[in-house]
Amino acid sequence: MSLTDRIAEIEEEISSTKYNKVTQHHIGKLKAKLAQLREQVVAQSSGPKGSGYGVRKAGDATVAIVGLPSVGKSTLLNSVTAAESETAAYAFTTLDVIPGVLQYRQARIQMLDLPGLIAGAARGAGRGREVLSVIRAADLVLHLVDASEPASRVILQELEDAGLRLDGRRPNGAIARTSRGGIEIISTVSQELEEEAIKAVAREYGVVNAQIVLREQFNLDLLVDLLAGTRVYPPSLTVLTKIDLASKTQLAQARELCPNAIEIAPPTGQGLDALRDAIYERLDFISVFMKPQGQSADLEEPLVVRRGTTVTEICNALHRDFLRKFRYALVWGDSAKFPGQTVGLAHVVADGDLVSIITHR
Ligand SMILES: Nc1nc2c(ncn2[C@@H]2O[C@H](COP(=O)(O)OP(=O)(O)OP(=O)(O)O)[C@@H](O)[C@H]2O)c(=O)[nH]1
Ligand SMILES: [Mg+2]
């Protein structure tokens, strides 16, 4: 039996088994198996190095444009960057990853136009697996939905199956392997899952001896995510496009399917300013001002970085010599305990900070 068939069989068994305290254990094992089979599919597709899409990350952040064929992904890329990605009125116009750069408020944002995703992509339909691996590496996912033909479930399901948890967060728990003693479950809150079910799922993942610490209510899916450890949690924005084409009824339908979406029509320019703003906000950029050693601060042109950036990353963004010759940094602003605090490479900067890197001569 092929992997795809086994996946289909397990999906079928899960959906036909009623979930309750008695079946929890069994369903848990099935879900763990399913997750592992899906990972095998992805692993098989990676093949020899050089196959797949070799996209180099560039700029201050990377945004993946995701959607069904023909929703208008390439049209959007062309309208917010200088890229010229082919567009056409038929599906699968784009077969490669086409990068473009969106320059906005001192940030250089790499936008990736991707081939359309279709149902079954996570199992390898189209070039689904390769496209999904590019999406996994993105800092933000732009989910494009055609307002004149709204359908969003297909894509969201494919992303979910590929281990992408849009706007999600890591489950609050940990697995510490031990050398003996079997599996011990330590939970800080009362769990709806039976201990035996939790252990059964863990065993599916080859856990024999371990302390499993759960710091929130877990369900089977969260538990599998915790054990798999390979999930990614990118932020996302939903975008309704072609709103110039959509009838009143279609638009109403689209809005119901995708509440809070940004509405655009790239050929008329409608909504593009709002979209650029939203991308910038969602990427959580901050500004850091640099004060070159022994000179006055540059308050004109800040360095734009993502929230959570460390002094190491700032050094890298400036010039490779900074890291090699680094002695310490001085920081003024919200991340400093007092003005001019001396910090090391691991220090995390805050919006509006003034930073001076002190190097060996
Ligand atoms: N009226 C209108 N037409 C649009 C809009 N966006 C895209 N189109 C048209 O829709 C068709 C498909 O657009 P593409 O940008 O090629 O779509 P895609 O998502 O890149 O398609 P694939 O690469 O095949 O997955 C083209 O004929 C575009 O001109 C829009 O906002 N309004
Ligand atoms: Mg395209």
Side-chain angles (χ1 to χ4, degrees), residues 69-75 87-89 91-94 116 242 244-245 265-267:
S70 268
V71 293
K73 298 178 294 298
S74 304
T75 305
T87 66
F92 298 112
T93 306
T94 309
K242 300 193 190 178
D244 58 323
L245 281 188

Side-chain angles (χ1 to χ4, degrees), residues 75-82 101-103 111 272 275-276:
T75 305
L76 170 61
L77 179 85
N78 295 346
S79 64
V80 294
T81 73
V101 177
L102 166 62
Q103 302 244 18
M111 307 268 297
L272 294 182
L275 178 63
R276 280 185 275 257

Side-chain angles (χ1 to χ4, degrees), residues 252-311:
Q253 241 179 3
R255 284 175 176 156
E256 200 177 308
L257 193 69
C258 308
N260 310 318
I262 298 154
E263 301 180 358
I264 62 167
T268 69
Q270 193 182 340
L272 294 182
D273 283 337
L275 178 63
R276 280 185 275 257
D277 272 337
I279 291 173
Y280 187 91
E281 295 296 325
R282 202 76 179 83
L283 281 169
D284 222 355
F285 284 116
I286 58 173
S287 301
V288 177
F289 298 91
M290 300 306 299
K291 182 185 174 315
Q293 199 166 345
Q295 297 173 37
S296 54
D298 177 2
L299 299 177
E300 296 291 311
E301 272 201 42
L303 198 65
V304 173
V305 295
R306 308 281 306 283
R307 194 176 299 282
T309 290
T310 60
V311 171

